[in-house]
Amino acid sequence: DIQMTQSPSSLSASVGDRVTITCRASQSISSYLNWYQQKPGKAPKLLIYAASSLQSGVPSRFSGSGSGTDFTLTISSLQPEDFATYYCQQSYSTSVTFGQGTKLEIK
Amino acid sequence: QITLKESGPTLVKPTQTLTLTCTFSGFSLSTSGVGVGWIRQPPGKALEWLALIYWNDDKRYSPSLKSRLTITKDTSKNQVVLTMTNMDPVDTATYYCAHRGIAAAGPAGSEYYYYYMDVWGKGTTVTVSS
């Protein structure tokens, strides 16, 4: 299995802050990396696919970058509705794996 | 508009077999490239991918759970069924099904494809307890 490691596991930030979450793969996955947002009691929501492509309807303050083994999700200016847990997921292998999640909390 | 909905028992006993059904609309599982997957999430924990079935009936399973999982499809009913044998309390989780989206990239004639889970059901909670 390809292991996905996110950092940090949790993060406190304020509305308006710029936030970056990192995801590292245990082997190169090219750009086969997706990001999801999950709010409590809700299903995950796709934000970014192919490392940097914004899913339709997702605000432009979300952006993704990286390739190979190191990836980042950036929120340029945090909004109240962005406080949630974020997961990366690799689709390079047919055996899909997720990161352990990063919980973004209000400071 | 693509929608998916999970259904099945909310409570199963240890050693029993769990059968979950994903009923979907807005796409056909007989269309080339289409896939439906199952993902679960134990309370307070991370997402775990379980299985995926493709339009051509090809199937993929989580290596750690492969011996316990079976995924099947009924194209005429727009349903995907996941069975998991020998249930244990550690299998207590919310189980989601999701549509696999595809994005093509690269020059014409040399395309390659990116895959992602773009539409999810709301999930169904399964508790394993005697």
Side-chain angles (χ1 to χ4, degrees), chain B residues 40-59:
Chain B
R40 72 178 179 179
Q41 185 173 39
K45 295 189 177 181
L47 300 167
E48 179 183 19
W49 179 80
L50 299 177
L52 191 140
I53 190 164
Y54 299 91
W55 80 102
N56 59 0
D57 210 37
D58 195 10
K59 302 160 187 179

Side-chain angles (χ1 to χ4, degrees), chain A residues 22-95:
Chain A
T22 297
C23 179
R24 176 165 289 177
S26 60
Q27 68 179 73
S28 178
I29 58 171
S30 184
S31 297
Y32 291 89
L33 192 283
N34 307 316
W35 288 98
Y36 300 85
Q37 176 194 66
Q38 187 180 33
K39 296 181 179 179
K42 301 295 186 182
K45 172 187 174 183
L46 177 68
L47 299 176
I48 302 281
Y49 64 92
S52 60
S53 295
L54 194 67
Q55 172 69 349
S56 177
V58 174
S60 59
R61 63 181 180 272
F62 291 93
S63 65
S65 65
S67 66
T69 59
D70 295 318
F71 302 87
T72 58
L73 172 70
T74 299
I75 310 172
S76 60
S77 178
L78 270 176
Q79 299 301 300
E81 60 268 29
D82 299 337
F83 292 94
T85 300
Y86 293 84
Y87 293 95
C88 63
Q89 173 234 324
Q90 65 80 16
S91 58
Y92 178 85
S93 166
T94 54
S95 180

Side-chain angles (χ1 to χ4, degrees), chain B:
Chain B
Q1 179 193 6
I2 291 174
T3 64
L4 304 99
K5 185 176 183 179
E6 307 86 352
S7 60
T10 57
L11 179 66
V12 298
K13 295 183 180 342
T15 75
Q16 286 186 335
T17 294
L18 171 68
T19 300
L20 295 173
T21 301
C22 175
T23 303
F24 57 85
S25 63
F27 66 96
S28 172
L29 243 184
S30 59
T31 300
S32 179
V34 175
V36 171
W38 285 94
I39 303 98
R40 72 178 179 179
Q41 185 173 39
K45 295 189 177 181
L47 300 167
E48 179 183 19
W49 179 80
L50 299 177
L52 191 140
I53 190 164
Y54 299 91
W55 80 102
N56 59 0
D57 210 37
D58 195 10
K59 302 160 187 179
R60 293 289 184 268
Y61 297 101
S62 165
S64 62
L65 293 167
K66 184 175 182 177
S67 64
R68 299 174 54 205
L69 295 174
T70 303
I71 190 169
T72 59
K73 64 181 176 71
D74 186 330
T75 304
S76 64
K77 293 183 179 179
N78 281 353
Q79 291 182 333
V80 171
V81 174
L82 181 75
T83 61
M84 181 179 291
T85 61
N86 194 25
M87 293 292 285
D88 183 271
V90 299
D91 297 313
T92 294
T94 297
Y95 287 76
Y96 298 98
C97 63
H99 172 269
R100 189 191 73 158
I102 307 172
S110 300
E111 294 94 347
Y112 51 95
Y113 300 93
Y114 292 102
Y115 304 103
Y116 41 84
M117 311 311 287
D118 58 352
V119 183
W120 296 59
K122 293 183 177 181
T124 187
T125 299
V126 178
T127 300
V128 184
S129 175
S130 55

